[in-house]
Amino acid sequence: MADIMILYPAMDLIGGRIVRLRQGRFDEVTFFDPAPADALRSFAGAGAAWAHVVDLDGARVGAPAQHALLADLARSSPLKLQVAGGVRSADHVQTLLDAGAARVVIGSLAVRDPDATAALLERFGPERITLSLDVRVEVEPMVATHGWQEDSGLSLWDVAMRYPEARHLLLTDIGRDGMLEGPNHALLAQAVERLPHLAIQASGGVTSLDDLHQLTTDGAILGRAMWEGRLDLAEALDASR
């Protein structure tokens, strides 16, 4: 485990409701009862400092869909929010930062438009932007885009090295997401070694305290295992300190 690991309890939203997808598939969705604002308060009550909130509608269509809700949550949340989904322009980023988001996640744009992404990093600063790369691990970890619906033909290393000025990278192994099989420790360790300029957030497969203890990343996203009660957030936070 990294000396100081930030845990990000994750909240994915479809139509204003909290959901979890299995391997990013919209036909395999599970809904959860808490209202988003209530869930954020419960994260704070467990001791979290951050939360990761995703507009899945926006990610699916490639344009903002629930940004008004994200802005409301950012304004009212006791946590620092890292927000994602459908962010495609400087105006989108500015709106979310103005509402109180601590960081905004750039995903597909970082793959298809390096110049625009570099401009966002320069304008808003590397501490306010998190690059998000979702990979399918074959011979090389290959990046998928548009809510995991399209393959970019580029490797993780091809894309990440475009942005030497970046500071934060959320790295998801699609094959592990929502599968409760543990993270891809080999991939994550390789990323930590090959991308030392980036503070990497491990996403996909974190299921147990042992998973957290084995990670060498700077952060970890907690998703399905937390929502299904397999991993207690308060205990995970204690273990990460």
Side-chain angles (χ1 to χ4, degrees), residues 2 4 6 8 82 103-104 117 121-122 124-132 160 162-170 192 195-201 217-219:
I4 300 175
I6 298 174
Y8 300 80
Q82 177 173 265
R103 289 198 208 116
V104 176
T117 303
L121 285 163
E122 181 177 2
F124 297 105
E127 288 299 331
R128 308 304 299 277
I129 300 292
T130 298
L131 303 181
S132 177
R162 290 172 172 174
Y163 304 107
E165 70 278 29
R167 172 59 181 153
H168 298 281
L169 171 64
L170 195 163
V192 169
L195 305 170
H197 66 294
L198 291 169
I200 295 173
Q201 301 169 24
T217 53
D218 293 273

PDB file of all heavy atoms in Angstrom, residues 2 4 6 8 82 103-104 117 121-122 124-132 160 162-170 192 195-201 217-219:
ATOM      1  N   ALA A   2       0.424   2.297  -0.710  1.00  0.00           N
ATOM      2  CA  ALA A   2       1.122   3.567  -0.670  1.00  0.00           C
ATOM      3  C   ALA A   2       1.120   4.105   0.751  1.00  0.00           C
ATOM      4  O   ALA A   2       0.265   3.762   1.564  1.00  0.00           O
ATOM      5  CB  ALA A   2       0.440   4.565  -1.619  1.00  0.00           C
ATOM      6  N   ILE A   4       0.382   6.962   1.951  1.00  0.00           N
ATOM      7  CA  ILE A   4      -0.900   7.622   2.200  1.00  0.00           C
ATOM      8  C   ILE A   4      -1.790   7.343   0.990  1.00  0.00           C
ATOM      9  O   ILE A   4      -1.507   7.816  -0.109  1.00  0.00           O
ATOM     10  CB  ILE A   4      -0.740   9.136   2.395  1.00  0.00           C
ATOM     11  CG1 ILE A   4       0.169   9.429   3.598  1.00  0.00           C
ATOM     12  CG2 ILE A   4      -2.103   9.798   2.588  1.00  0.00           C
ATOM     13  CD1 ILE A   4       0.472  10.894   3.783  1.00  0.00           C
ATOM     14  N   ILE A   6      -5.534   7.613  -0.719  1.00  0.00           N
ATOM     15  CA  ILE A   6      -6.848   8.242  -0.674  1.00  0.00           C
ATOM     16  C   ILE A   6      -7.871   7.248  -1.202  1.00  0.00           C
ATOM     17  O   ILE A   6      -7.720   6.716  -2.305  1.00  0.00           O
ATOM     18  CB  ILE A   6      -6.881   9.532  -1.507  1.00  0.00           C
ATOM     19  CG1 ILE A   6      -5.898  10.561  -0.951  1.00  0.00           C
ATOM     20  CG2 ILE A   6      -8.300  10.112  -1.540  1.00  0.00           C
ATOM     21  CD1 ILE A   6      -5.773  11.802  -1.809  1.00  0.00           C
ATOM     22  N   TYR A   8     -11.682   6.611  -2.504  1.00  0.00           N
ATOM     23  CA  TYR A   8     -12.777   7.340  -3.147  1.00  0.00           C
ATOM     24  C   TYR A   8     -14.005   6.434  -3.216  1.00  0.00           C
ATOM     25  O   TYR A   8     -14.134   5.637  -4.157  1.00  0.00           O
ATOM     26  CB  TYR A   8     -12.397   7.756  -4.566  1.00  0.00           C
ATOM     27  CG  TYR A   8     -11.203   8.662  -4.701  1.00  0.00           C
ATOM     28  CD1 TYR A   8      -9.906   8.158  -4.640  1.00  0.00           C
ATOM     29  CD2 TYR A   8     -11.356  10.030  -4.928  1.00  0.00           C
ATOM     30  CE1 TYR A   8      -8.806   8.984  -4.780  1.00  0.00           C
ATOM     31  CE2 TYR A   8     -10.264  10.866  -5.077  1.00  0.00           C
ATOM     32  CZ  TYR A   8      -8.993  10.331  -5.002  1.00  0.00           C
ATOM     33  OH  TYR A   8      -7.894  11.158  -5.148  1.00  0.00           O
ATOM     34  N   GLN A  82     -14.756  14.347  -6.821  1.00  0.00           N
ATOM     35  CA  GLN A  82     -14.152  14.138  -8.126  1.00  0.00           C
ATOM     36  C   GLN A  82     -15.290  13.685  -9.031  1.00  0.00           C
ATOM     37  O   GLN A  82     -15.902  12.645  -8.779  1.00  0.00           O
ATOM     38  CB  GLN A  82     -13.068  13.064  -8.020  1.00  0.00           C
ATOM     39  CG  GLN A  82     -12.420  12.704  -9.333  1.00  0.00           C
ATOM     40  CD  GLN A  82     -11.254  11.756  -9.129  1.00  0.00           C
ATOM     41  OE1 GLN A  82     -10.111  12.178  -9.042  1.00  0.00           O
ATOM     42  NE2 GLN A  82     -11.521  10.453  -9.059  1.00  0.00           N
ATOM     43  N   ARG A 103     -12.199  18.140  -8.317  1.00  0.00           N
ATOM     44  CA  ARG A 103     -11.530  17.696  -9.540  1.00  0.00           C
ATOM     45  C   ARG A 103     -12.571  17.258 -10.546  1.00  0.00           C
ATOM     46  O   ARG A 103     -13.634  16.757 -10.183  1.00  0.00           O
ATOM     47  CB  ARG A 103     -10.589  16.517  -9.284  1.00  0.00           C
ATOM     48  CG  ARG A 103      -9.338  16.832  -8.507  1.00  0.00           C
ATOM     49  CD  ARG A 103      -8.303  15.714  -8.693  1.00  0.00           C
ATOM     50  NE  ARG A 103      -7.450  15.665  -7.515  1.00  0.00           N
ATOM     51  CZ  ARG A 103      -7.378  14.646  -6.680  1.00  0.00           C
ATOM     52  NH1 ARG A 103      -8.123  13.567  -6.875  1.00  0.00           N
ATOM     53  NH2 ARG A 103      -6.573  14.686  -5.637  1.00  0.00           N
ATOM     54  N   VAL A 104     -12.233  17.425 -11.815  1.00  0.00           N
ATOM     55  CA  VAL A 104     -13.095  16.991 -12.906  1.00  0.00           C
ATOM     56  C   VAL A 104     -12.335  15.955 -13.720  1.00  0.00           C
ATOM     57  O   VAL A 104     -11.147  16.133 -14.025  1.00  0.00           O
ATOM     58  CB  VAL A 104     -13.516  18.176 -13.790  1.00  0.00           C
ATOM     59  CG1 VAL A 104     -14.342  17.706 -14.975  1.00  0.00           C
ATOM     60  CG2 VAL A 104     -14.301  19.193 -12.965  1.00  0.00           C
ATOM     61  N   THR A 117      -7.186  18.397 -24.457  1.00  0.00           N
ATOM     62  CA  THR A 117      -6.917  17.940 -23.091  1.00  0.00           C
ATOM     63  C   THR A 117      -5.744  18.686 -22.482  1.00  0.00           C
ATOM     64  O   THR A 117      -5.792  19.104 -21.313  1.00  0.00           O
ATOM     65  CB  THR A 117      -6.655  16.425 -23.093  1.00  0.00           C
ATOM     66  OG1 THR A 117      -7.783  15.759 -23.657  1.00  0.00           O
ATOM     67  CG2 THR A 117      -6.404  15.918 -21.689  1.00  0.00           C
ATOM     68  N   LEU A 121      -5.624  21.068 -19.047  1.00  0.00           N
ATOM     69  CA  LEU A 121      -4.630  20.942 -17.976  1.00  0.00           C
ATOM     70  C   LEU A 121      -3.917  22.266 -17.742  1.00  0.00           C
ATOM     71  O   LEU A 121      -3.657  22.642 -16.595  1.00  0.00           O
ATOM     72  CB  LEU A 121      -3.624  19.848 -18.338  1.00  0.00           C
ATOM     73  CG  LEU A 121      -4.125  18.415 -18.201  1.00  0.00           C
ATOM     74  CD1 LEU A 121      -3.222  17.452 -18.967  1.00  0.00           C
ATOM     75  CD2 LEU A 121      -4.206  18.008 -16.736  1.00  0.00           C
ATOM     76  N   GLU A 122      -3.618  22.965 -18.817  1.00  0.00           N
ATOM     77  CA  GLU A 122      -2.935  24.251 -18.675  1.00  0.00           C
ATOM     78  C   GLU A 122      -3.861  25.307 -18.070  1.00  0.00           C
ATOM     79  O   GLU A 122      -3.456  26.070 -17.184  1.00  0.00           O
ATOM     80  CB  GLU A 122      -2.428  24.736 -20.030  1.00  0.00           C
ATOM     81  CG  GLU A 122      -1.686  26.068 -19.954  1.00  0.00           C
ATOM     82  CD  GLU A 122      -1.112  26.503 -21.293  1.00  0.00           C
ATOM     83  OE1 GLU A 122      -1.315  25.789 -22.300  1.00  0.00           O
ATOM     84  OE2 GLU A 122      -0.465  27.561 -21.321  1.00  0.00           O
ATOM     85  N   PHE A 124      -6.733  24.938 -16.207  1.00  0.00           N
ATOM     86  CA  PHE A 124      -7.274  24.700 -14.869  1.00  0.00           C
ATOM     87  C   PHE A 124      -6.242  24.170 -13.881  1.00  0.00           C
ATOM     88  O   PHE A 124      -6.485  24.193 -12.671  1.00  0.00           O
ATOM     89  CB  PHE A 124      -8.457  23.729 -14.951  1.00  0.00           C
ATOM     90  CG  PHE A 124      -9.602  24.264 -15.755  1.00  0.00           C
ATOM     91  CD1 PHE A 124      -9.858  23.786 -17.028  1.00  0.00           C
ATOM     92  CD2 PHE A 124     -10.416  25.267 -15.244  1.00  0.00           C
ATOM     93  CE1 PHE A 124     -10.913  24.288 -17.778  1.00  0.00           C
ATOM     94  CE2 PHE A 124     -11.476  25.783 -15.989  1.00  0.00           C
ATOM     95  CZ  PHE A 124     -11.720  25.293 -17.264  1.00  0.00           C
ATOM     96  N   GLY A 125      -5.117  23.707 -14.400  1.00  0.00           N
ATOM     97  CA  GLY A 125      -4.066  23.199 -13.537  1.00  0.00           C
ATOM     98  C   GLY A 125      -4.189  21.707 -13.319  1.00  0.00           C
ATOM     99  O   GLY A 125      -5.306  21.165 -13.263  1.00  0.00           O
ATOM    100  N   PRO A 126      -3.073  21.008 -13.181  1.00  0.00           N
ATOM    101  CA  PRO A 126      -3.107  19.548 -13.079  1.00  0.00           C
ATOM    102  C   PRO A 126      -3.734  19.016 -11.802  1.00  0.00           C
ATOM    103  O   PRO A 126      -4.108  17.841 -11.751  1.00  0.00           O
ATOM    104  CB  PRO A 126      -1.623  19.167 -13.166  1.00  0.00           C
ATOM    105  CG  PRO A 126      -0.880  20.383 -12.724  1.00  0.00           C
ATOM    106  CD  PRO A 126      -1.694  21.539 -13.191  1.00  0.00           C
ATOM    107  N   GLU A 127      -3.884  19.844 -10.774  1.00  0.00           N
ATOM    108  CA  GLU A 127      -4.540  19.371  -9.547  1.00  0.00           C
ATOM    109  C   GLU A 127      -6.058  19.378  -9.648  1.00  0.00           C
ATOM    110  O   GLU A 127      -6.743  18.790  -8.803  1.00  0.00           O
ATOM    111  CB  GLU A 127      -4.104  20.212  -8.339  1.00  0.00           C
ATOM    112  CG  GLU A 127      -2.679  19.958  -7.902  1.00  0.00           C
ATOM    113  CD  GLU A 127      -2.439  18.514  -7.472  1.00  0.00           C
ATOM    114  OE1 GLU A 127      -3.383  17.862  -6.987  1.00  0.00           O
ATOM    115  OE2 GLU A 127      -1.307  18.034  -7.631  1.00  0.00           O
ATOM    116  N   ARG A 128      -6.599  20.028 -10.681  1.00  0.00           N
ATOM    117  CA  ARG A 128      -8.054  20.094 -10.827  1.00  0.00           C
ATOM    118  C   ARG A 128      -8.588  19.137 -11.884  1.00  0.00           C
ATOM    119  O   ARG A 128      -9.799  19.030 -12.070  1.00  0.00           O
ATOM    120  CB  ARG A 128      -8.499  21.532 -11.193  1.00  0.00           C
ATOM    121  CG  ARG A 128      -7.981  22.615 -10.271  1.00  0.00           C
ATOM    122  CD  ARG A 128      -8.332  22.402  -8.809  1.00  0.00           C
ATOM    123  NE  ARG A 128      -9.745  22.363  -8.517  1.00  0.00           N
ATOM    124  CZ  ARG A 128     -10.528  23.443  -8.327  1.00  0.00           C
ATOM    125  NH1 ARG A 128     -10.008  24.658  -8.419  1.00  0.00           N
ATOM    126  NH2 ARG A 128     -11.798  23.304  -8.036  1.00  0.00           N
ATOM    127  N   ILE A 129      -7.685  18.456 -12.577  1.00  0.00           N
ATOM    128  CA  ILE A 129      -8.073  17.556 -13.661  1.00  0.00           C
ATOM    129  C   ILE A 129      -7.543  16.154 -13.368  1.00  0.00           C
ATOM    130  O   ILE A 129      -6.363  15.972 -13.058  1.00  0.00           O
ATOM    131  CB  ILE A 129      -7.501  18.026 -15.019  1.00  0.00           C
ATOM    132  CG1 ILE A 129      -8.012  19.434 -15.368  1.00  0.00           C
ATOM    133  CG2 ILE A 129      -7.833  17.023 -16.116  1.00  0.00           C
ATOM    134  CD1 ILE A 129      -9.491  19.515 -15.681  1.00  0.00           C
ATOM    135  N   THR A 130      -8.414  15.159 -13.471  1.00  0.00           N
ATOM    136  CA  THR A 130      -8.012  13.760 -13.384  1.00  0.00           C
ATOM    137  C   THR A 130      -8.227  13.114 -14.743  1.00  0.00           C
ATOM    138  O   THR A 130      -9.347  13.131 -15.267  1.00  0.00           O
ATOM    139  CB  THR A 130      -8.837  13.002 -12.330  1.00  0.00           C
ATOM    140  OG1 THR A 130      -8.602  13.571 -11.043  1.00  0.00           O
ATOM    141  CG2 THR A 130      -8.449  11.523 -12.295  1.00  0.00           C
ATOM    142  N   LEU A 131      -7.178  12.575 -15.326  1.00  0.00           N
ATOM    143  CA  LEU A 131      -7.333  11.788 -16.537  1.00  0.00           C
ATOM    144  C   LEU A 131      -7.864  10.411 -16.159  1.00  0.00           C
ATOM    145  O   LEU A 131      -7.461   9.839 -15.148  1.00  0.00           O
ATOM    146  CB  LEU A 131      -5.997  11.650 -17.264  1.00  0.00           C
ATOM    147  CG  LEU A 131      -5.293  12.946 -17.656  1.00  0.00           C
ATOM    148  CD1 LEU A 131      -3.996  12.638 -18.396  1.00  0.00           C
ATOM    149  CD2 LEU A 131      -6.191  13.829 -18.513  1.00  0.00           C
ATOM    150  N   SER A 132      -8.759   9.886 -16.961  1.00  0.00           N
ATOM    151  CA  SER A 132      -9.339   8.569 -16.693  1.00  0.00           C
ATOM    152  C   SER A 132      -9.167   7.699 -17.926  1.00  0.00           C
ATOM    153  O   SER A 132      -9.655   8.035 -19.012  1.00  0.00           O
ATOM    154  CB  SER A 132     -10.822   8.697 -16.352  1.00  0.00           C
ATOM    155  OG  SER A 132     -11.392   7.421 -16.149  1.00  0.00           O
ATOM    156  N   ALA A 160      -1.108   7.838 -21.856  1.00  0.00           N
ATOM    157  CA  ALA A 160      -0.635   8.485 -20.621  1.00  0.00           C
ATOM    158  C   ALA A 160       0.609   9.326 -20.853  1.00  0.00           C
ATOM    159  O   ALA A 160       0.766  10.400 -20.253  1.00  0.00           O
ATOM    160  CB  ALA A 160      -0.376   7.440 -19.552  1.00  0.00           C
ATOM    161  N   ARG A 162       1.336  11.060 -23.313  1.00  0.00           N
ATOM    162  CA  ARG A 162       1.053  12.323 -24.010  1.00  0.00           C
ATOM    163  C   ARG A 162       1.025  13.513 -23.048  1.00  0.00           C
ATOM    164  O   ARG A 162       1.136  14.655 -23.472  1.00  0.00           O
ATOM    165  CB  ARG A 162      -0.325  12.253 -24.675  1.00  0.00           C
ATOM    166  CG  ARG A 162      -0.471  11.341 -25.852  1.00  0.00           C
ATOM    167  CD  ARG A 162      -1.939  11.266 -26.244  1.00  0.00           C
ATOM    168  NE  ARG A 162      -2.176  10.561 -27.487  1.00  0.00           N
ATOM    169  CZ  ARG A 162      -3.382  10.274 -27.956  1.00  0.00           C
ATOM    170  NH1 ARG A 162      -4.454  10.631 -27.252  1.00  0.00           N
ATOM    171  NH2 ARG A 162      -3.526   9.632 -29.105  1.00  0.00           N
ATOM    172  N   TYR A 163       0.822  13.225 -21.760  1.00  0.00           N
ATOM    173  CA  TYR A 163       0.519  14.298 -20.811  1.00  0.00           C
ATOM    174  C   TYR A 163       1.530  14.328 -19.661  1.00  0.00           C
ATOM    175  O   TYR A 163       1.196  14.000 -18.518  1.00  0.00           O
ATOM    176  CB  TYR A 163      -0.903  14.116 -20.261  1.00  0.00           C
ATOM    177  CG  TYR A 163      -1.942  14.044 -21.356  1.00  0.00           C
ATOM    178  CD1 TYR A 163      -2.556  12.835 -21.681  1.00  0.00           C
ATOM    179  CD2 TYR A 163      -2.271  15.174 -22.096  1.00  0.00           C
ATOM    180  CE1 TYR A 163      -3.499  12.759 -22.685  1.00  0.00           C
ATOM    181  CE2 TYR A 163      -3.208  15.107 -23.119  1.00  0.00           C
ATOM    182  CZ  TYR A 163      -3.822  13.900 -23.410  1.00  0.00           C
ATOM    183  OH  TYR A 163      -4.741  13.837 -24.421  1.00  0.00           O
ATOM    184  N   PRO A 164       2.762  14.743 -19.950  1.00  0.00           N
ATOM    185  CA  PRO A 164       3.764  14.797 -18.879  1.00  0.00           C
ATOM    186  C   PRO A 164       3.416  15.813 -17.796  1.00  0.00           C
ATOM    187  O   PRO A 164       3.923  15.722 -16.679  1.00  0.00           O
ATOM    188  CB  PRO A 164       5.047  15.185 -19.617  1.00  0.00           C
ATOM    189  CG  PRO A 164       4.577  15.876 -20.863  1.00  0.00           C
ATOM    190  CD  PRO A 164       3.312  15.173 -21.250  1.00  0.00           C
ATOM    191  N   GLU A 165       2.535  16.756 -18.124  1.00  0.00           N
ATOM    192  CA  GLU A 165       2.155  17.783 -17.157  1.00  0.00           C
ATOM    193  C   GLU A 165       1.018  17.326 -16.242  1.00  0.00           C
ATOM    194  O   GLU A 165       0.701  18.002 -15.256  1.00  0.00           O
ATOM    195  CB  GLU A 165       1.727  19.063 -17.884  1.00  0.00           C
ATOM    196  CG  GLU A 165       0.397  18.983 -18.636  1.00  0.00           C
ATOM    197  CD  GLU A 165       0.467  18.356 -20.012  1.00  0.00           C
ATOM    198  OE1 GLU A 165       1.350  17.488 -20.259  1.00  0.00           O
ATOM    199  OE2 GLU A 165      -0.366  18.728 -20.854  1.00  0.00           O
ATOM    200  N   ALA A 166       0.373  16.196 -16.556  1.00  0.00           N
ATOM    201  CA  ALA A 166      -0.753  15.722 -15.755  1.00  0.00           C
ATOM    202  C   ALA A 166      -0.260  15.238 -14.393  1.00  0.00           C
ATOM    203  O   ALA A 166       0.909  14.881 -14.209  1.00  0.00           O
ATOM    204  CB  ALA A 166      -1.483  14.598 -16.478  1.00  0.00           C
ATOM    205  N   ARG A 167      -1.178  15.211 -13.436  1.00  0.00           N
ATOM    206  CA  ARG A 167      -0.834  14.775 -12.083  1.00  0.00           C
ATOM    207  C   ARG A 167      -1.661  13.575 -11.629  1.00  0.00           C
ATOM    208  O   ARG A 167      -1.166  12.724 -10.900  1.00  0.00           O
ATOM    209  CB  ARG A 167      -1.047  15.950 -11.107  1.00  0.00           C
ATOM    210  CG  ARG A 167      -0.912  15.605  -9.629  1.00  0.00           C
ATOM    211  CD  ARG A 167       0.446  15.040  -9.284  1.00  0.00           C
ATOM    212  NE  ARG A 167       0.537  14.700  -7.862  1.00  0.00           N
ATOM    213  CZ  ARG A 167       1.332  13.771  -7.362  1.00  0.00           C
ATOM    214  NH1 ARG A 167       2.106  13.064  -8.167  1.00  0.00           N
ATOM    215  NH2 ARG A 167       1.362  13.528  -6.061  1.00  0.00           N
ATOM    216  N   HIS A 168      -2.920  13.464 -12.059  1.00  0.00           N
ATOM    217  CA  HIS A 168      -3.811  12.427 -11.546  1.00  0.00           C
ATOM    218  C   HIS A 168      -4.318  11.538 -12.686  1.00  0.00           C
ATOM    219  O   HIS A 168      -4.745  12.036 -13.721  1.00  0.00           O
ATOM    220  CB  HIS A 168      -5.008  13.053 -10.822  1.00  0.00           C
ATOM    221  CG  HIS A 168      -4.614  13.861  -9.632  1.00  0.00           C
ATOM    222  ND1 HIS A 168      -4.301  13.292  -8.418  1.00  0.00           N
ATOM    223  CD2 HIS A 168      -4.447  15.199  -9.479  1.00  0.00           C
ATOM    224  CE1 HIS A 168      -3.979  14.237  -7.558  1.00  0.00           C
ATOM    225  NE2 HIS A 168      -4.052  15.403  -8.178  1.00  0.00           N
ATOM    226  N   LEU A 169      -4.288  10.217 -12.447  1.00  0.00           N
ATOM    227  CA  LEU A 169      -4.789   9.246 -13.417  1.00  0.00           C
ATOM    228  C   LEU A 169      -5.650   8.210 -12.709  1.00  0.00           C
ATOM    229  O   LEU A 169      -5.202   7.543 -11.772  1.00  0.00           O
ATOM    230  CB  LEU A 169      -3.630   8.535 -14.126  1.00  0.00           C
ATOM    231  CG  LEU A 169      -4.025   7.342 -15.021  1.00  0.00           C
ATOM    232  CD1 LEU A 169      -4.899   7.805 -16.185  1.00  0.00           C
ATOM    233  CD2 LEU A 169      -2.786   6.609 -15.523  1.00  0.00           C
ATOM    234  N   LEU A 170      -6.886   8.085 -13.162  1.00  0.00           N
ATOM    235  CA  LEU A 170      -7.792   7.037 -12.698  1.00  0.00           C
ATOM    236  C   LEU A 170      -7.694   5.899 -13.711  1.00  0.00           C
ATOM    237  O   LEU A 170      -8.022   6.077 -14.886  1.00  0.00           O
ATOM    238  CB  LEU A 170      -9.213   7.573 -12.601  1.00  0.00           C
ATOM    239  CG  LEU A 170     -10.246   6.762 -11.823  1.00  0.00           C
ATOM    240  CD1 LEU A 170     -11.452   7.642 -11.501  1.00  0.00           C
ATOM    241  CD2 LEU A 170     -10.698   5.536 -12.586  1.00  0.00           C
ATOM    242  N   VAL A 192       2.430   2.188 -11.869  1.00  0.00           N
ATOM    243  CA  VAL A 192       3.145   2.992 -10.874  1.00  0.00           C
ATOM    244  C   VAL A 192       4.611   3.145 -11.266  1.00  0.00           C
ATOM    245  O   VAL A 192       5.200   4.223 -11.145  1.00  0.00           O
ATOM    246  CB  VAL A 192       3.010   2.345  -9.476  1.00  0.00           C
ATOM    247  CG1 VAL A 192       3.966   3.002  -8.483  1.00  0.00           C
ATOM    248  CG2 VAL A 192       1.574   2.464  -8.977  1.00  0.00           C
ATOM    249  N   LEU A 195       4.797   5.175 -14.910  1.00  0.00           N
ATOM    250  CA  LEU A 195       4.204   6.519 -14.954  1.00  0.00           C
ATOM    251  C   LEU A 195       4.421   7.217 -13.611  1.00  0.00           C
ATOM    252  O   LEU A 195       3.469   7.566 -12.916  1.00  0.00           O
ATOM    253  CB  LEU A 195       2.713   6.411 -15.275  1.00  0.00           C
ATOM    254  CG  LEU A 195       2.355   5.651 -16.555  1.00  0.00           C
ATOM    255  CD1 LEU A 195       0.855   5.411 -16.635  1.00  0.00           C
ATOM    256  CD2 LEU A 195       2.856   6.398 -17.786  1.00  0.00           C
ATOM    257  N   PRO A 196       5.677   7.451 -13.240  1.00  0.00           N
ATOM    258  CA  PRO A 196       5.953   7.983 -11.897  1.00  0.00           C
ATOM    259  C   PRO A 196       5.466   9.411 -11.686  1.00  0.00           C
ATOM    260  O   PRO A 196       5.349   9.850 -10.536  1.00  0.00           O
ATOM    261  CB  PRO A 196       7.483   7.898 -11.795  1.00  0.00           C
ATOM    262  CG  PRO A 196       7.963   7.941 -13.212  1.00  0.00           C
ATOM    263  CD  PRO A 196       6.925   7.204 -14.000  1.00  0.00           C
ATOM    264  N   HIS A 197       5.177  10.133 -12.776  1.00  0.00           N
ATOM    265  CA  HIS A 197       4.694  11.518 -12.625  1.00  0.00           C
ATOM    266  C   HIS A 197       3.214  11.572 -12.257  1.00  0.00           C
ATOM    267  O   HIS A 197       2.704  12.657 -11.932  1.00  0.00           O
ATOM    268  CB  HIS A 197       4.931  12.295 -13.920  1.00  0.00           C
ATOM    269  CG  HIS A 197       4.139  11.822 -15.103  1.00  0.00           C
ATOM    270  ND1 HIS A 197       4.322  10.579 -15.681  1.00  0.00           N
ATOM    271  CD2 HIS A 197       3.149  12.419 -15.824  1.00  0.00           C
ATOM    272  CE1 HIS A 197       3.499  10.440 -16.700  1.00  0.00           C
ATOM    273  NE2 HIS A 197       2.773  11.542 -16.806  1.00  0.00           N
ATOM    274  N   LEU A 198       2.533  10.423 -12.278  1.00  0.00           N
ATOM    275  CA  LEU A 198       1.095  10.406 -12.049  1.00  0.00           C
ATOM    276  C   LEU A 198       0.742   9.776 -10.707  1.00  0.00           C
ATOM    277  O   LEU A 198       1.298   8.739 -10.329  1.00  0.00           O
ATOM    278  CB  LEU A 198       0.395   9.625 -13.160  1.00  0.00           C
ATOM    279  CG  LEU A 198       0.413  10.280 -14.544  1.00  0.00           C
ATOM    280  CD1 LEU A 198      -0.077   9.304 -15.601  1.00  0.00           C
ATOM    281  CD2 LEU A 198      -0.429  11.544 -14.554  1.00  0.00           C
ATOM    282  N   ALA A 199      -0.182  10.404  -9.999  1.00  0.00           N
ATOM    283  CA  ALA A 199      -0.792   9.804  -8.806  1.00  0.00           C
ATOM    284  C   ALA A 199      -1.942   8.934  -9.306  1.00  0.00           C
ATOM    285  O   ALA A 199      -2.956   9.448  -9.780  1.00  0.00           O
ATOM    286  CB  ALA A 199      -1.297  10.888  -7.863  1.00  0.00           C
ATOM    287  N   ILE A 200      -1.780   7.627  -9.216  1.00  0.00           N
ATOM    288  CA  ILE A 200      -2.704   6.695  -9.842  1.00  0.00           C
ATOM    289  C   ILE A 200      -3.766   6.234  -8.858  1.00  0.00           C
ATOM    290  O   ILE A 200      -3.469   5.870  -7.714  1.00  0.00           O
ATOM    291  CB  ILE A 200      -1.943   5.492 -10.413  1.00  0.00           C
ATOM    292  CG1 ILE A 200      -1.028   5.961 -11.552  1.00  0.00           C
ATOM    293  CG2 ILE A 200      -2.903   4.401 -10.915  1.00  0.00           C
ATOM    294  CD1 ILE A 200      -0.103   4.898 -12.084  1.00  0.00           C
ATOM    295  N   GLN A 201      -4.998   6.264  -9.334  1.00  0.00           N
ATOM    296  CA  GLN A 201      -6.139   5.748  -8.574  1.00  0.00           C
ATOM    297  C   GLN A 201      -6.540   4.401  -9.178  1.00  0.00           C
ATOM    298  O   GLN A 201      -6.880   4.321 -10.350  1.00  0.00           O
ATOM    299  CB  GLN A 201      -7.319   6.716  -8.652  1.00  0.00           C
ATOM    300  CG  GLN A 201      -7.023   8.104  -8.128  1.00  0.00           C
ATOM    301  CD  GLN A 201      -8.118   9.091  -8.463  1.00  0.00           C
ATOM    302  OE1 GLN A 201      -9.270   8.719  -8.690  1.00  0.00           O
ATOM    303  NE2 GLN A 201      -7.778  10.359  -8.504  1.00  0.00           N
ATOM    304  N   THR A 217      -0.659   1.998  -5.304  1.00  0.00           N
ATOM    305  CA  THR A 217      -1.152   3.226  -5.936  1.00  0.00           C
ATOM    306  C   THR A 217      -1.408   4.308  -4.889  1.00  0.00           C
ATOM    307  O   THR A 217      -1.455   4.045  -3.688  1.00  0.00           O
ATOM    308  CB  THR A 217      -2.449   2.944  -6.706  1.00  0.00           C
ATOM    309  OG1 THR A 217      -3.376   2.297  -5.830  1.00  0.00           O
ATOM    310  CG2 THR A 217      -2.178   2.048  -7.909  1.00  0.00           C
ATOM    311  N   ASP A 218      -1.604   5.529  -5.375  1.00  0.00           N
ATOM    312  CA  ASP A 218      -1.872   6.654  -4.477  1.00  0.00           C
ATOM    313  C   ASP A 218      -3.319   6.714  -4.021  1.00  0.00           C
ATOM    314  O   ASP A 218      -3.643   7.414  -3.059  1.00  0.00           O
ATOM    315  CB  ASP A 218      -1.505   7.974  -5.176  1.00  0.00           C
ATOM    316  CG  ASP A 218      -0.012   8.087  -5.419  1.00  0.00           C
ATOM    317  OD1 ASP A 218       0.694   8.551  -4.522  1.00  0.00           O
ATOM    318  OD2 ASP A 218       0.442   7.682  -6.507  1.00  0.00           O
ATOM    319  N   GLY A 219      -4.193   6.014  -4.734  1.00  0.00           N
ATOM    320  CA  GLY A 219      -5.609   6.043  -4.389  1.00  0.00           C
ATOM    321  C   GLY A 219      -6.304   4.797  -4.880  1.00  0.00           C
ATOM    322  O   GLY A 219      -5.746   3.997  -5.649  1.00  0.00           O
TER     323      GLY A 219
END
